[in-house]
Structures are given as C-alpha cells and as structure tokens.
Amino acid sequence: MAVVEVKSGIYWVGAVDWDSRHFHGVTYTTRRGTTYNAYLVIGEQHKALVDTVYTPFSDVLVSHLRELVDLKDIDYVVVNHVEIDHSGALPRIMELCPQAQIYCSQRAVNPIKKHFGEHGWDITAVKTGDILDLGGKTIQFIEAPMLHWPDSMFSYVAEDKLLLPNDAFGQHLASSQRFDDQVDNAILMEEAAKYYANILMPFSTLVARKLEEISELGIEIDTIAPSHGLIWRQDPGQIITAYQNWATGRQTPGRVSPEIVVVFDTMWGSTEKMAEAVVDELSRQGWKVNLYSIGKSDYSDIMREVLEAKAVIIGSSTINNAMLPSLSPLMEDLVGLKPKGKLGAAFGSHGWKGGAVSQIANKMADAGIELVGDGLMVQWVPNAEDLEASRELAREVGAVLAKKYSR
Ligand code: FEO
C-alpha cells in the first residue's frame, strides 16, 4: 500500500493486514482484516513517528518511512500504547533510528522494557498537557487510561486539528483506501460498532468521561486518525456521536439494529421450541428481534448486536446441572464486556434435574444485566402450556421495555 498524506507533512506509514481473521484470541472475528496504522509527523526542525505496527509488518513500516525520510532523521518515536499490534516494530525502528527518543505515558515505561528488554533506549514519560515541539507542528499528549490499556494515550497535532487516538475510534477493516469517505459508510460503521462492542465496551464509563474531557480541553478536531482501519476526515463527528451513544448503552439515532437479541443452544430441540415461541411473541408485539443458535453463530457478531440492543434473552438445555458449554464463551464475554443498560431474561429446559437457567441468570447478573423474572424452566419437552409460558416471558420483557422506553 502506498504512503498517504493525511495532512500537510503528516503521513500514514502503516500496514494493511488482509489476512487477519481473529483478534485477541478466537472469539473476536475480523472477517474484513485489519490495519496497523502508524503516522510520520514532519516538523520544520524535527520528525516524529507516532506508533509502529505489528511485528510481522516491521519491514512494511520501514519501507514506507524510507519513501519519505532518511531513518536517521527521525528524532522521536511516540508510543501511544504498548500492545504488540502497535509497538511490535519498535525494536526494528530503534535499531535503525538509535538516536530517537521514545515518548510514552508513565505507565508504558515498564511494559516497553518488559516487552523488548533493557536496550538503554532514551525514554521520556509524558502526561496530559505535555507538548512535543517539532517546529511548526506540535504534538500534545492526552493520557487515556483503559482506552484500551492503562498505558494508552492520545496524541494531538493542534496545527492540523488532528487527533491520533490509537485504539479508540478504530475498526478492524482492511482496505486499499485510507479515509472514511472512500469506503461504504454502512460497513465502516458496522465494523466500528463491532470493534467498540468487543474491545471498548467494558470501559464505557471511561470513554464517556474522556469524550467530556476532550470537549472541556477545547480541542478542535477535524480529523481522527486511529491505529486500526479508516481515518475519519469527512465526518469525525459521526464516530464521536456514535461513541457517546455506545458509551451510555444507547442506539445511534438513524441506525436500525435489533432491539432484542435472543440466543440459545438446545440438546434435543426443547429449548429451541421455547426460543422460537419467545421470538414469535416479541415480534407480534412489534419488537425488532434477532434469534441466534449459538452453534451456528459468531460470538463477536452477537456482542455487536447486544451493544445497541435494549435486551438480551438467553436459553439453554441443561447438561451436568449446567448450561451447554457452547454458551460459556458468550456468558464470559458478557461478564467481561459488561454491556450498559440492558434488560435480560433466562430460559431453558432440563430432563431429570435443572441448573442451566439459574447459571445463565447468575452470569447475567454478574454482567450487570437487569433481570426480568426468575428464569423460565421447562422439564422434558414443552407442551402447549409451557410454550404459552415462554410467550408470557416475552410479554413480561416487552412490558418492562415498553415502560422503560415509554413505548
Ligand atoms: Fe490495537 Fe490495544 O491494541
């Protein structure tokens, strides 16, 4: 991919990973690949590289930089975040630019040494408000702990109103294009939502606070260049507004997502019959609802839908006095990602003895989901009365939602 000028004297020098299909293990699927974005900022006196790339793409970064400068002329390397997809090429860069000073947050200093060893690199720890003057261009630092790690920070080039927020506002989306106006907006926002749901959702309170802080700092932003995916130059307000909504568990106005997500697994079809009755009843009441059989579905796609949904209803057959193991990754994701402001309900079937429904309900409570009812359990195969009870569970959820959202 070619080097691209983002602003006058500021270049994208990153790498496109067309083959990435998973991130952070196997449950987050990245079916559209990803990018590792790095930026070269050229001032009148100094040059700074902001972030590097994932280790296997080190040569791509070096080749991009060589198109623009002699590497010995790079004075600073800004490490906004130590995670290896952004700092993996740091040893290669420091080998070629041994004179460069590393700028990072205080929390990043030890992780850099633990990741790459004691090289005697010149490392300067910075805090919010500190400024690196390149001559005609300045880089202001804004600490952003937990977006995505405690060490994370944003860099801001005031002269160009350019925010370089590392992981925040990213998407796992490989493309030959670099800017938001060059790709399909629906796909771009879908990947941005999936990224938020699976990476940033547990830190929503901090996201909301950081957005307020940036607003209070009076920072003007006309372009947001994250470390993954496309650069927001046409409408950075679109992704800021989306983050404000996602951080508070709201659906983005103008987007149409399912209001209720129903997920189940079934052993011999009983829980599936209950799930279908729940979905049918919700649909009859006018709710937008999607149904997922977990064995045929993608965990991270479900989490993306949960992000904007109002309720999540989960069912399972019982095995060994517990839910079916296929649901465990989803339940652990819910507990870890802690979606904001969701209602929930649990249902399921069992033979001789139950256990799945209470386990699901407990996990939902751990995830901070507000439960409707105590959970619906059916023994053996649901009869007409049991299916009516499933419909009644759907009506209960619908009634609470209608009250909560004044529908
Ligand atoms: Fe893209 Fe937290 O690394």
Side-chain angles (χ1 to χ4, degrees), residues 23-24 81 83 85-86 148-149 166-167 195 227-228:
F23 199 77
H24 286 170
H81 176 30
E83 194 163 9
D85 50 339
H86 308 297
H148 151 239
W149 276 3
N166 196 265
D167 276 335
Y195 181 99
S227 61
H228 294 292

Side-chain angles (χ1 to χ4, degrees), residues 100-153:
Q101 284 178 264
I102 295 171
Y103 274 56
C104 62
S105 69
Q106 181 62 53
R107 287 192 182 100
V109 175
N110 281 334
I112 287 174
K113 292 176 181 172
K114 289 291 282 181
H115 274 75
F116 306 114
E118 295 280 354
H119 291 278
W121 294 339
D122 185 346
I123 301 178
T124 300
V126 293
K127 57 186 185 311
T128 296
D130 287 352
I131 289 175
L132 177 60
D133 190 350
L134 305 179
K137 286 191 191 300
T138 55
I139 299 179
Q140 181 178 338
F141 302 106
I142 303 163
E143 292 166 278
M146 301 319 294
L147 308 180
H148 151 239
W149 276 3
D151 63 286
S152 295
M153 65 178 192

Side-chain angles (χ1 to χ4, degrees), residues 17 24 26 66 85 87 114 133 146 157-158 219 262 287 296 317 349 396:
D17 184 351
H24 286 170
V26 295
R66 281 185 171 142
D85 50 339
S87 72
K114 289 291 282 181
D133 190 350
M146 301 319 294
V157 184
I219 281 174
V262 181
W287 296 103
K296 298 167 187 165
S317 316
S349 59
E396 282 175 35

Side-chain angles (χ1 to χ4, degrees), residues 12-25:
W12 176 89
V13 289
V16 178
D17 184 351
W18 298 97
D19 292 337
S20 171
R21 289 296 177 270
H22 298 99
F23 199 77
H24 286 170

Side-chain angles (χ1 to χ4, degrees), residues 142-200:
I142 303 163
E143 292 166 278
M146 301 319 294
L147 308 180
H148 151 239
W149 276 3
D151 63 286
S152 295
M153 65 178 192
F154 298 172
S155 294
Y156 174 68
V157 184
E159 294 75 10
D160 297 286
K161 300 179 184 174
L162 171 67
L163 185 68
L164 304 165
N166 196 265
D167 276 335
F169 308 114
Q171 335 89 45
H172 287 310
L173 179 54
S175 173
S176 61
Q177 308 304 302
R178 299 276 68 82
F179 298 101
D180 55 348
D181 50 285
Q182 298 171 322
V183 298
D184 184 294
N185 191 258
I187 291 174
L188 177 66
M189 289 306 295
E190 189 61 26
E191 291 300 339
K194 184 172 176 177
Y195 181 99
Y196 186 96
N198 287 281
I199 295 195
L200 292 170

